[in-house]
Structures are given as structure tokens and as C-alpha cells.
């Protein structure tokens, strides 16, 4: 199955992505010790969230390295366009992940442990009790492996085919609505997420250096617990914003 059917696709490492990773890794490692990102160390030190931690330019260049290019990038451009890139997330997991995140409830930690904290990006929770809204719709999600070789070292996980189920739910809730960003989708989202767990296959997607994964923006995905391996698993993620929620619904 390809991206359209499965909701995700994996791409082998190639010279373009290996060269890009070689330039990105030193900057990614530097971010781990940067005081500006001290609050990004979560889950009792087993996860560096790393939002906007990679100092890349709009073409993806890090330092004197190459622009981001290759097969996965061409696929992303064909799927949802290729805008100027934001600063990438540098997500790093360590042995022992997950531990409870600061402020996380017992139920939230159980969900992280048992369901990989699976989510659809951009459907954000606000307030207490938490209510969810489509606040940051994306064109696509692109992950590129920077470090980590053991497939059981907290890999990305996806629920294959979940994007079609999620898309049906979000279209039903938001299509034709004047201000879709203000629609509370909590109940619909939680119910559909449970349906995806029942109907869709959970697939681990470990990424070695230079390998890439491209996800449909509504694919349910998360990070598995660390089972085996040494060092750290490091992945760079790009999630360029969609033009609008209306465009996101058409992805």
C-alpha cells in the first residue's frame, strides 16, 4: 500500500538524505544541551521534545549543509506542496521512555504507555477539562532519521488506514462551517481514535539515519515504549502548516 491507502510511506536512505543528516546531527546534538531548550526535556529525562530546535533555513539547510531533497521530499511536494520550511522538531528518546510527563495524569500516562500517546497532529487540547480543536492543521508530516538503529528503541508508530476514518469524522464535523477552528471536536475525535485502535493495524516505523517516513496529516501516530537499544533515537520532523482547515480536509 502507498501513502493514499495506508496513510504513510517509508523511504530508504539515499545520498541526499544521508548528506542532510550528517549536517543536521551536530546541530541536533547541540540543542540537547542548549539552556534555551531546557524545558524540552520531558518524561523524567527520557524524551527531548525539541520543538523548533533544529536551526535550518527555509530550504532545510543546517549550517553549511545541503538543502533538504530526495525521494521522500518529492513525494511530499506532490502530495501537499512544498512551502518554505519551519524550524524542524528534533525528537529524541532515551532508554526508559516513557516515564510520566510533568503534569500528566495517571490516565494520560497509561495512554502514553499502552497506546503510544497516539494522536492526530494539530488537534490540540485546551483548558481544564481539556477540549480539543483543530488548531494547527498540517500539509503532511515528514520524519527523517538522525540516529538510532535498534528497531525496538522507541520507534514511530502508525495506525495504518486511520487517516481515512479520521478524515471522514473531521469532514462531517467541519465541512461548510464558517469558523471550523472554533468547533469542539473532542467527543468525535476520541470516539474515532478508539475506532482506529480497533480497526487499524499498528505498525512500528523505526527510522535509521537517512531513512524517511511521510504521513498523511490525519494519520493516527505515536511513539512506542523503549524496549531495547543503547544511546538515543533521534528524528527530525517537519510539519508545514496547511493553507486552511478547508484544504486540510481535502488532503
Amino acid at each position: 500500500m502507498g501513502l493514499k491507502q495506508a496513510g504513510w510511506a517509508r523511504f530508504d536512505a539515499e545520498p541526499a538524505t544521508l548528506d542532510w543528516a550528517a549536517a543536521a546531527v551536530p546541530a541536533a546534538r547541540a540543542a540537547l544541551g542548549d539552556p534555551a531548550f531546557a524545558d524540552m526535556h520531558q518524561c523524567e529525562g527520557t524524551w527531548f521534545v525539541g520543538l523548533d530546535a533544529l536551526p535550518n533555513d527555509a530550504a532545510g539547510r543546517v549550517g553549511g549543509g545541503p538543502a533538504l531533497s530526495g525521494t521522500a521530499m518529492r513525494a511530499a511536494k506532490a502530495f501537499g506542496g512544498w512551502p518554505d520550511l519551519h524550524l524542524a522538531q528534533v525528537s529524541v528518546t532515551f532508554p526508559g521512555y516513557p516515564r510520566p510527563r510533568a503534569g500528566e495524569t495517571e490516565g494520560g500516562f497509561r495512554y502514553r504507555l499502552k497506546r503510544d500517546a497516539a494522536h492526530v497532529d494539530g488537534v490540540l487540547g485546551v483548558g481544564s477539562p481539556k477540549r480539543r480543536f483543530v488548531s494547527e492543521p498540517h500539509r503532511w508530516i515528514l520524519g527523517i532519521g538522525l540516529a538510532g538503529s535498534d528497531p525496538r528503541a522507541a520507534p514511530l508508530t502508525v495506525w495504518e488506514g486511520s487517516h481515512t476514518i479520521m478524515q471522514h469524522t473531521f469532514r462531517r464535523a467541519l465541512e461548510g462551517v464558517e469558523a471550523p477552528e472554533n468547533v469542539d471536536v473532542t467527543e468525535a475525535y476520541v470516539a474515532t481514535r478508539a475506532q482506529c485502535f480497533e480497526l487499524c493495524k499498528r505498525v512500528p516505523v523505526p527510522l535509521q539515519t537517512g531513512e524517511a517516513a511521510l504521513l498523511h496529516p490525519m494519520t493516527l501516530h505515536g511513539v512506542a515504549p523503549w524496549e531495547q537499544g543503547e544511546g538515543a533515537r533521534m528524528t527530525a520532523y517537519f510539519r508545514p502548516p496547511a493553507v486552511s482547515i478547508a484544504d486540510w480536509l481535502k488532503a
Side-chain angles (χ1 to χ4, degrees):
M1 288 192 291
L3 177 63
K4 183 177 180 180
Q5 294 77 27
W8 71 281
R10 184 208 296 271
F11 300 84
D12 292 339
E14 55 186 317
T17 53
L18 289 169
D19 289 348
W20 183 84
V25 165
R29 293 197 185 281
L32 288 171
D34 189 334
F37 299 120
D39 62 347
M40 295 285 181
H41 291 273
Q42 293 288 328
C43 297
E44 299 180 4
T46 61
W47 179 33
F48 178 70
V49 181
L51 291 173
D52 299 334
L54 193 68
N56 57 273
D57 68 10
R61 298 183 188 90
V62 183
L68 190 58
S69 65
T71 308
M73 280 50 74
R74 290 193 293 272
K77 182 177 181 179
F79 177 77
W82 189 266
D84 288 350
L85 295 174
H86 58 87
L87 301 181
Q89 177 188 11
V90 179
S91 179
V92 188
T93 48
F94 299 92
Y97 176 86
R99 301 293 300 158
R101 189 173 184 177
E104 193 166 53
T105 64
E106 289 186 12
F109 177 61
R110 284 196 302 272
Y111 184 74
R112 182 178 299 279
L113 188 64
K114 301 296 184 182
R115 292 294 193 187
D116 305 345
H119 59 283
V120 171
D121 276 349
V123 184
L124 305 184
V126 297
S128 182
K130 188 177 292 185
R131 309 302 297 175
R132 293 192 176 272
F133 300 84
V134 179
S135 304
E136 297 179 0
H138 302 113
R139 293 172 185 249
W140 35 257
I141 302 156
L142 175 68
I144 304 171
L146 298 180
S149 58
D150 195 302
R152 289 178 287 180
L156 168 73
T157 54
V158 299
W159 274 259
E160 202 161 69
S162 59
H163 64 302
T164 59
I165 301 172
M166 283 290 181
Q167 191 168 48
H168 176 76
T169 290
F170 286 124
R171 283 177 172 173
R172 188 169 54 186
L174 302 177
E175 273 188 338
V177 176
E178 185 173 343
E181 67 276 8
N182 295 330
V183 175
D184 184 340
V185 297
T186 307
E187 281 76 21
Y189 173 63
V190 171
T192 305
R193 195 174 61 185
Q195 184 182 12
C196 291
F197 291 144
E198 181 178 350
L199 298 177
C200 301
K201 180 182 179 182
R202 173 185 177 272
V203 181
V205 188
L207 295 175
Q208 297 193 33
T209 303
E211 293 181 337
L214 179 63
L215 275 60
H216 185 285
M218 295 184 209
T219 294
L220 188 66
H221 64 283
V223 176
W226 191 289
E227 293 183 0
Q228 181 174 301
E230 299 179 354
R233 177 173 295 285
M234 182 183 297
T235 309
Y237 285 103
F238 291 93
R239 303 175 182 85
V243 174
S244 64
I245 290 178
D247 276 13
W248 179 74
L249 291 172
K250 298 173 184 176

